[in-house]
Amino acid sequence: PPILNAVRSKLGLSKHALIIPSDVHDYLVDEHILPQDKFVGACGGDILAQGHLNELVEMMVNGHEVSKKSKSVRKLKVG
């Protein structure tokens, strides 16, 4: 995708270099595509697995994520 090429270019990486999610996050914030107050968390895994999909939907709907350690709600705000 074009955004990944832009991130690699900004970091001075080659066309197929590995980039980590935080590099993409930083790019989106720096380019004013993702306002910091709209960032609620990060989740990962197999998007086809119901548990991972539920976690993503919950974060989008509720604006927070459930801590995997304590199962308590954590409100995340970066910055």
Side-chain angles (χ1 to χ4, degrees), residues 2-78:
I3 194 165
L4 298 182
N5 292 333
V7 172
R8 287 184 182 102
S9 176
K10 184 174 182 176
L11 295 172
L13 300 173
S14 66
K15 183 178 179 181
H16 298 291
L18 176 69
I19 54 175
I20 57 175
S22 63
D23 291 334
V24 177
H25 173 265
D26 292 347
Y27 176 84
L28 294 173
V29 171
D30 292 347
E31 296 297 315
H32 306 286
I33 298 168
L34 175 65
Q36 284 289 68
D37 64 337
K38 301 297 182 199
F39 180 75
V40 296
C43 60
D46 180 359
I47 196 66
L48 299 177
Q50 192 63 47
H52 292 155
L53 181 58
N54 290 345
E55 183 181 354
L56 173 62
V57 171
E58 180 177 324
M59 282 190 346
M60 293 174 68
V61 170
N62 299 320
H64 58 75
E65 68 178 334
V66 175
S67 170
K68 290 173 182 55
K69 291 181 182 176
S70 66
K71 296 294 182 190
S72 63
V73 173
R74 290 188 297 158
K75 180 75 175 175
L76 299 179
K77 191 164 188 174
V78 178

